[in-house]
mmCIF file with all atom_site columns, all heavy atoms in Angstrom:
data_model
loop_
_atom_site.group_PDB
_atom_site.id
_atom_site.type_symbol
_atom_site.label_atom_id
_atom_site.label_alt_id
_atom_site.label_comp_id
_atom_site.label_asym_id
_atom_site.label_entity_id
_atom_site.label_seq_id
_atom_site.pdbx_PDB_ins_code
_atom_site.Cartn_x
_atom_site.Cartn_y
_atom_site.Cartn_z
_atom_site.occupancy
_atom_site.B_iso_or_equiv
_atom_site.pdbx_formal_charge
_atom_site.auth_seq_id
_atom_site.auth_comp_id
_atom_site.auth_asym_id
_atom_site.auth_atom_id
_atom_site.pdbx_PDB_model_num
ATOM 1   N N   . LYS A 1 199 ? -135.994 -19.040 -31.645 1.00 95.00 ? 199 LYS A N   1
ATOM 2   C CA  . LYS A 1 199 ? -135.320 -18.540 -32.855 1.00 95.00 ? 199 LYS A CA  1
ATOM 3   C C   . LYS A 1 199 ? -133.802 -18.601 -32.755 1.00 95.00 ? 199 LYS A C   1
ATOM 4   O O   . LYS A 1 199 ? -133.106 -18.431 -33.759 1.00 95.00 ? 199 LYS A O   1
ATOM 5   C CB  . LYS A 1 199 ? -135.758 -17.101 -33.137 1.00 95.00 ? 199 LYS A CB  1
ATOM 6   C CG  . LYS A 1 199 ? -137.265 -16.925 -33.293 1.00 95.00 ? 199 LYS A CG  1
ATOM 7   C CD  . LYS A 1 199 ? -137.841 -17.833 -34.378 1.00 95.00 ? 199 LYS A CD  1
ATOM 8   C CE  . LYS A 1 199 ? -139.360 -17.682 -34.504 1.00 95.00 ? 199 LYS A CE  1
ATOM 9   N NZ  . LYS A 1 199 ? -139.933 -18.639 -35.479 1.00 95.00 ? 199 LYS A NZ  1
ATOM 10  N N   . SER A 1 200 ? -133.275 -18.888 -31.560 1.00 96.00 ? 200 SER A N   1
ATOM 11  C CA  . SER A 1 200 ? -131.819 -18.960 -31.397 1.00 96.00 ? 200 SER A CA  1
ATOM 12  C C   . SER A 1 200 ? -131.257 -20.333 -31.774 1.00 96.00 ? 200 SER A C   1
ATOM 13  O O   . SER A 1 200 ? -130.044 -20.478 -31.937 1.00 96.00 ? 200 SER A O   1
ATOM 14  C CB  . SER A 1 200 ? -131.435 -18.646 -29.948 1.00 96.00 ? 200 SER A CB  1
ATOM 15  O OG  . SER A 1 200 ? -131.880 -19.672 -29.059 1.00 96.00 ? 200 SER A OG  1
ATOM 16  N N   . LEU A 1 201 ? -132.132 -21.334 -31.911 1.00 97.00 ? 201 LEU A N   1
ATOM 17  C CA  . LEU A 1 201 ? -131.659 -22.675 -32.233 1.00 97.00 ? 201 LEU A CA  1
ATOM 18  C C   . LEU A 1 201 ? -131.195 -22.737 -33.683 1.00 97.00 ? 201 LEU A C   1
ATOM 19  O O   . LEU A 1 201 ? -131.894 -22.312 -34.597 1.00 97.00 ? 201 LEU A O   1
ATOM 20  C CB  . LEU A 1 201 ? -132.772 -23.705 -32.001 1.00 97.00 ? 201 LEU A CB  1
ATOM 21  C CG  . LEU A 1 201 ? -133.212 -23.926 -30.545 1.00 97.00 ? 201 LEU A CG  1
ATOM 22  C CD1 . LEU A 1 201 ? -134.352 -24.938 -30.492 1.00 97.00 ? 201 LEU A CD1 1
ATOM 23  C CD2 . LEU A 1 201 ? -132.047 -24.397 -29.683 1.00 97.00 ? 201 LEU A CD2 1
ATOM 24  N N   . ASN A 1 202 ? -130.017 -23.321 -33.865 1.00 97.00 ? 202 ASN A N   1
ATOM 25  C CA  . ASN A 1 202 ? -129.417 -23.384 -35.200 1.00 97.00 ? 202 ASN A CA  1
ATOM 26  C C   . ASN A 1 202 ? -129.624 -24.784 -35.782 1.00 97.00 ? 202 ASN A C   1
ATOM 27  O O   . ASN A 1 202 ? -128.845 -25.698 -35.540 1.00 97.00 ? 202 ASN A O   1
ATOM 28  C CB  . ASN A 1 202 ? -127.930 -23.048 -35.108 1.00 97.00 ? 202 ASN A CB  1
ATOM 29  C CG  . ASN A 1 202 ? -127.392 -22.492 -36.410 1.00 97.00 ? 202 ASN A CG  1
ATOM 30  O OD1 . ASN A 1 202 ? -128.115 -22.403 -37.398 1.00 97.00 ? 202 ASN A OD1 1
ATOM 31  N ND2 . ASN A 1 202 ? -126.128 -22.122 -36.414 1.00 97.00 ? 202 ASN A ND2 1
ATOM 32  N N   . PHE A 1 203 ? -130.693 -24.950 -36.561 1.00 98.00 ? 203 PHE A N   1
ATOM 33  C CA  . PHE A 1 203 ? -130.988 -26.241 -37.169 1.00 98.00 ? 203 PHE A CA  1
ATOM 34  C C   . PHE A 1 203 ? -131.654 -26.032 -38.521 1.00 98.00 ? 203 PHE A C   1
ATOM 35  O O   . PHE A 1 203 ? -132.136 -24.955 -38.860 1.00 98.00 ? 203 PHE A O   1
ATOM 36  C CB  . PHE A 1 203 ? -131.897 -27.087 -36.267 1.00 98.00 ? 203 PHE A CB  1
ATOM 37  C CG  . PHE A 1 203 ? -133.308 -26.586 -36.153 1.00 98.00 ? 203 PHE A CG  1
ATOM 38  C CD1 . PHE A 1 203 ? -134.291 -27.022 -37.041 1.00 98.00 ? 203 PHE A CD1 1
ATOM 39  C CD2 . PHE A 1 203 ? -133.680 -25.686 -35.148 1.00 98.00 ? 203 PHE A CD2 1
ATOM 40  C CE1 . PHE A 1 203 ? -135.595 -26.571 -36.948 1.00 98.00 ? 203 PHE A CE1 1
ATOM 41  C CE2 . PHE A 1 203 ? -134.983 -25.225 -35.045 1.00 98.00 ? 203 PHE A CE2 1
ATOM 42  C CZ  . PHE A 1 203 ? -135.942 -25.665 -35.946 1.00 98.00 ? 203 PHE A CZ  1
ATOM 43  N N   . LYS A 1 204 ? -131.682 -27.127 -39.287 1.00 98.00 ? 204 LYS A N   1
ATOM 44  C CA  . LYS A 1 204 ? -132.399 -27.148 -40.554 1.00 98.00 ? 204 LYS A CA  1
ATOM 45  C C   . LYS A 1 204 ? -133.160 -28.461 -40.609 1.00 98.00 ? 204 LYS A C   1
ATOM 46  O O   . LYS A 1 204 ? -132.575 -29.538 -40.425 1.00 98.00 ? 204 LYS A O   1
ATOM 47  C CB  . LYS A 1 204 ? -131.442 -27.031 -41.732 1.00 98.00 ? 204 LYS A CB  1
ATOM 48  C CG  . LYS A 1 204 ? -132.131 -26.689 -43.050 1.00 98.00 ? 204 LYS A CG  1
ATOM 49  C CD  . LYS A 1 204 ? -131.104 -26.256 -44.097 1.00 98.00 ? 204 LYS A CD  1
ATOM 50  C CE  . LYS A 1 204 ? -131.800 -25.733 -45.342 1.00 98.00 ? 204 LYS A CE  1
ATOM 51  N NZ  . LYS A 1 204 ? -130.811 -25.233 -46.345 1.00 98.00 ? 204 LYS A NZ  1
ATOM 52  N N   . PHE A 1 205 ? -134.458 -28.378 -40.857 1.00 98.00 ? 205 PHE A N   1
ATOM 53  C CA  . PHE A 1 205 ? -135.322 -29.557 -40.792 1.00 98.00 ? 205 PHE A CA  1
ATOM 54  C C   . PHE A 1 205 ? -135.878 -29.872 -42.169 1.00 98.00 ? 205 PHE A C   1
ATOM 55  O O   . PHE A 1 205 ? -136.510 -29.029 -42.809 1.00 98.00 ? 205 PHE A O   1
ATOM 56  C CB  . PHE A 1 205 ? -136.469 -29.310 -39.807 1.00 98.00 ? 205 PHE A CB  1
ATOM 57  C CG  . PHE A 1 205 ? -137.224 -30.544 -39.400 1.00 98.00 ? 205 PHE A CG  1
ATOM 58  C CD1 . PHE A 1 205 ? -137.011 -31.109 -38.153 1.00 98.00 ? 205 PHE A CD1 1
ATOM 59  C CD2 . PHE A 1 205 ? -138.148 -31.144 -40.252 1.00 98.00 ? 205 PHE A CD2 1
ATOM 60  C CE1 . PHE A 1 205 ? -137.701 -32.250 -37.765 1.00 98.00 ? 205 PHE A CE1 1
ATOM 61  C CE2 . PHE A 1 205 ? -138.838 -32.277 -39.879 1.00 98.00 ? 205 PHE A CE2 1
ATOM 62  C CZ  . PHE A 1 205 ? -138.619 -32.832 -38.630 1.00 98.00 ? 205 PHE A CZ  1
ATOM 63  N N   . TYR A 1 206 ? -135.646 -31.115 -42.642 1.00 98.00 ? 206 TYR A N   1
ATOM 64  C CA  . TYR A 1 206 ? -136.156 -31.568 -43.938 1.00 98.00 ? 206 TYR A CA  1
ATOM 65  C C   . TYR A 1 206 ? -137.311 -32.544 -43.697 1.00 98.00 ? 206 TYR A C   1
ATOM 66  O O   . TYR A 1 206 ? -137.104 -33.633 -43.172 1.00 98.00 ? 206 TYR A O   1
ATOM 67  C CB  . TYR A 1 206 ? -135.061 -32.273 -44.732 1.00 98.00 ? 206 TYR A CB  1
ATOM 68  C CG  . TYR A 1 206 ? -133.870 -31.417 -45.059 1.00 98.00 ? 206 TYR A CG  1
ATOM 69  C CD1 . TYR A 1 206 ? -132.740 -31.416 -44.242 1.00 98.00 ? 206 TYR A CD1 1
ATOM 70  C CD2 . TYR A 1 206 ? -133.861 -30.619 -46.200 1.00 98.00 ? 206 TYR A CD2 1
ATOM 71  C CE1 . TYR A 1 206 ? -131.636 -30.631 -44.547 1.00 98.00 ? 206 TYR A CE1 1
ATOM 72  C CE2 . TYR A 1 206 ? -132.758 -29.830 -46.524 1.00 98.00 ? 206 TYR A CE2 1
ATOM 73  C CZ  . TYR A 1 206 ? -131.657 -29.844 -45.683 1.00 98.00 ? 206 TYR A CZ  1
ATOM 74  O OH  . TYR A 1 206 ? -130.557 -29.071 -45.986 1.00 98.00 ? 206 TYR A OH  1
ATOM 75  N N   . TRP A 1 207 ? -138.509 -32.140 -44.107 1.00 98.00 ? 207 TRP A N   1
ATOM 76  C CA  . TRP A 1 207 ? -139.691 -33.002 -43.979 1.00 98.00 ? 207 TRP A CA  1
ATOM 77  C C   . TRP A 1 207 ? -139.937 -33.636 -45.345 1.00 98.00 ? 207 TRP A C   1
ATOM 78  O O   . TRP A 1 207 ? -140.311 -32.965 -46.302 1.00 98.00 ? 207 TRP A O   1
ATOM 79  C CB  . TRP A 1 207 ? -140.897 -32.172 -43.553 1.00 98.00 ? 207 TRP A CB  1
ATOM 80  C CG  . TRP A 1 207 ? -142.109 -32.974 -43.163 1.00 98.00 ? 207 TRP A CG  1
ATOM 81  C CD1 . TRP A 1 207 ? -142.849 -33.769 -43.980 1.00 98.00 ? 207 TRP A CD1 1
ATOM 82  C CD2 . TRP A 1 207 ? -142.717 -33.052 -41.860 1.00 98.00 ? 207 TRP A CD2 1
ATOM 83  N NE1 . TRP A 1 207 ? -143.880 -34.349 -43.273 1.00 98.00 ? 207 TRP A NE1 1
ATOM 84  C CE2 . TRP A 1 207 ? -143.831 -33.926 -41.980 1.00 98.00 ? 207 TRP A CE2 1
ATOM 85  C CE3 . TRP A 1 207 ? -142.441 -32.483 -40.626 1.00 98.00 ? 207 TRP A CE3 1
ATOM 86  C CZ2 . TRP A 1 207 ? -144.656 -34.225 -40.905 1.00 98.00 ? 207 TRP A CZ2 1
ATOM 87  C CZ3 . TRP A 1 207 ? -143.270 -32.788 -39.549 1.00 98.00 ? 207 TRP A CZ3 1
ATOM 88  C CH2 . TRP A 1 207 ? -144.356 -33.650 -39.686 1.00 98.00 ? 207 TRP A CH2 1
ATOM 89  N N   . LEU A 1 208 ? -139.743 -34.959 -45.448 1.00 96.00 ? 208 LEU A N   1
ATOM 90  C CA  . LEU A 1 208 ? -139.878 -35.669 -46.716 1.00 96.00 ? 208 LEU A CA  1
ATOM 91  C C   . LEU A 1 208 ? -141.149 -36.524 -46.727 1.00 96.00 ? 208 LEU A C   1
ATOM 92  O O   . LEU A 1 208 ? -141.576 -37.025 -45.693 1.00 96.00 ? 208 LEU A O   1
ATOM 93  C CB  . LEU A 1 208 ? -138.665 -36.573 -46.948 1.00 96.00 ? 208 LEU A CB  1
ATOM 94  C CG  . LEU A 1 208 ? -137.273 -35.958 -46.795 1.00 96.00 ? 208 LEU A CG  1
ATOM 95  C CD1 . LEU A 1 208 ? -136.214 -36.995 -47.169 1.00 96.00 ? 208 LEU A CD1 1
ATOM 96  C CD2 . LEU A 1 208 ? -137.119 -34.704 -47.624 1.00 96.00 ? 208 LEU A CD2 1
ATOM 97  N N   . GLY A 1 209 ? -141.705 -36.699 -47.904 1.00 93.00 ? 209 GLY A N   1
ATOM 98  C CA  . GLY A 1 209 ? -142.877 -37.556 -48.050 1.00 93.00 ? 209 GLY A CA  1
ATOM 99  C C   . GLY A 1 209 ? -144.159 -36.764 -48.248 1.00 93.00 ? 209 GLY A C   1
ATOM 100 O O   . GLY A 1 209 ? -144.160 -35.533 -48.323 1.00 93.00 ? 209 GLY A O   1
ATOM 101 N N   . ASN A 1 210 ? -145.244 -37.502 -48.299 1.00 92.00 ? 210 ASN A N   1
ATOM 102 C CA  . ASN A 1 210 ? -146.559 -36.926 -48.564 1.00 92.00 ? 210 ASN A CA  1
ATOM 103 C C   . ASN A 1 210 ? -146.878 -35.755 -47.631 1.00 92.00 ? 210 ASN A C   1
ATOM 104 O O   . ASN A 1 210 ? -146.658 -35.839 -46.421 1.00 92.00 ? 210 ASN A O   1
ATOM 105 C CB  . ASN A 1 210 ? -147.625 -38.021 -48.408 1.00 92.00 ? 210 ASN A CB  1
ATOM 106 C CG  . ASN A 1 210 ? -149.006 -37.561 -48.797 1.00 92.00 ? 210 ASN A CG  1
ATOM 107 O OD1 . ASN A 1 210 ? -149.175 -36.623 -49.572 1.00 92.00 ? 210 ASN A OD1 1
ATOM 108 N ND2 . ASN A 1 210 ? -150.007 -38.226 -48.259 1.00 92.00 ? 210 ASN A ND2 1
ATOM 109 N N   . LYS A 1 211 ? -147.408 -34.661 -48.192 1.00 93.00 ? 211 LYS A N   1
ATOM 110 C CA  . LYS A 1 211 ? -147.754 -33.493 -47.383 1.00 93.00 ? 211 LYS A CA  1
ATOM 111 C C   . LYS A 1 211 ? -149.254 -33.395 -47.107 1.00 93.00 ? 211 LYS A C   1
ATOM 112 O O   . LYS A 1 211 ? -149.677 -32.601 -46.265 1.00 93.00 ? 211 LYS A O   1
ATOM 113 C CB  . LYS A 1 211 ? -147.287 -32.213 -48.084 1.00 93.00 ? 211 LYS A CB  1
ATOM 114 C CG  . LYS A 1 211 ? -145.776 -32.101 -48.215 1.00 93.00 ? 211 LYS A CG  1
ATOM 115 C CD  . LYS A 1 211 ? -145.336 -30.685 -48.562 1.00 93.00 ? 211 LYS A CD  1
ATOM 116 C CE  . LYS A 1 211 ? -145.754 -30.304 -49.964 1.00 93.00 ? 211 LYS A CE  1
ATOM 117 N NZ  . LYS A 1 211 ? -145.267 -28.942 -50.317 1.00 93.00 ? 211 LYS A NZ  1
ATOM 118 N N   . ILE A 1 212 ? -150.052 -34.198 -47.809 1.00 91.00 ? 212 ILE A N   1
ATOM 119 C CA  . ILE A 1 212 ? -151.505 -34.162 -47.617 1.00 91.00 ? 212 ILE A CA  1
ATOM 120 C C   . ILE A 1 212 ? -151.863 -34.893 -46.329 1.00 91.00 ? 212 ILE A C   1
ATOM 121 O O   . ILE A 1 212 ? -151.447 -36.029 -46.102 1.00 91.00 ? 212 ILE A O   1
ATOM 122 C CB  . ILE A 1 212 ? -152.240 -34.812 -48.810 1.00 91.00 ? 212 ILE A CB  1
ATOM 123 C CG1 . ILE A 1 212 ? -151.826 -34.137 -50.127 1.00 91.00 ? 212 ILE A CG1 1
ATOM 124 C CG2 . ILE A 1 212 ? -153.753 -34.722 -48.613 1.00 91.00 ? 212 ILE A CG2 1
ATOM 125 C CD1 . ILE A 1 212 ? -152.124 -32.666 -50.188 1.00 91.00 ? 212 ILE A CD1 1
ATOM 126 N N   . LEU A 1 213 ? -152.663 -34.233 -45.495 1.00 89.00 ? 213 LEU A N   1
ATOM 127 C CA  . LEU A 1 213 ? -153.015 -34.812 -44.204 1.00 89.00 ? 213 LEU A CA  1
ATOM 128 C C   . LEU A 1 213 ? -153.993 -35.978 -44.360 1.00 89.00 ? 213 LEU A C   1
ATOM 129 O O   . LEU A 1 213 ? -154.845 -35.957 -45.251 1.00 89.00 ? 213 LEU A O   1
ATOM 130 C CB  . LEU A 1 213 ? -153.635 -33.744 -43.304 1.00 89.00 ? 213 LEU A CB  1
ATOM 131 C CG  . LEU A 1 213 ? -152.683 -32.614 -42.895 1.00 89.00 ? 213 LEU A CG  1
ATOM 132 C CD1 . LEU A 1 213 ? -153.454 -31.482 -42.244 1.00 89.00 ? 213 LEU A CD1 1
ATOM 133 C CD2 . LEU A 1 213 ? -151.618 -33.141 -41.941 1.00 89.00 ? 213 LEU A CD2 1
ATOM 134 N N   . PRO A 1 214 ? -153.886 -37.001 -43.502 1.00 82.00 ? 214 PRO A N   1
ATOM 135 C CA  . PRO A 1 214 ? -154.847 -38.102 -43.553 1.00 82.00 ? 214 PRO A CA  1
ATOM 136 C C   . PRO A 1 214 ? -156.242 -37.586 -43.209 1.00 82.00 ? 214 PRO A C   1
ATOM 137 O O   . PRO A 1 214 ? -156.388 -36.668 -42.400 1.00 82.00 ? 214 PRO A O   1
ATOM 138 C CB  . PRO A 1 214 ? -154.332 -39.081 -42.494 1.00 82.00 ? 214 PRO A CB  1
ATOM 139 C CG  . PRO A 1 214 ? -153.468 -38.261 -41.588 1.00 82.00 ? 214 PRO A CG  1
ATOM 140 C CD  . PRO A 1 214 ? -152.888 -37.181 -42.432 1.00 82.00 ? 214 PRO A CD  1
#
Side-chain angles (χ1 to χ4, degrees):
K199 303 304 178 185
S200 68
L201 293 178
N202 206 357
F203 70 90
K204 195 166 188 177
F205 194 104
Y206 299 94
W207 190 295
L208 310 184
N210 186 24
K211 295 195 291 183
I212 304 300
L213 294 169

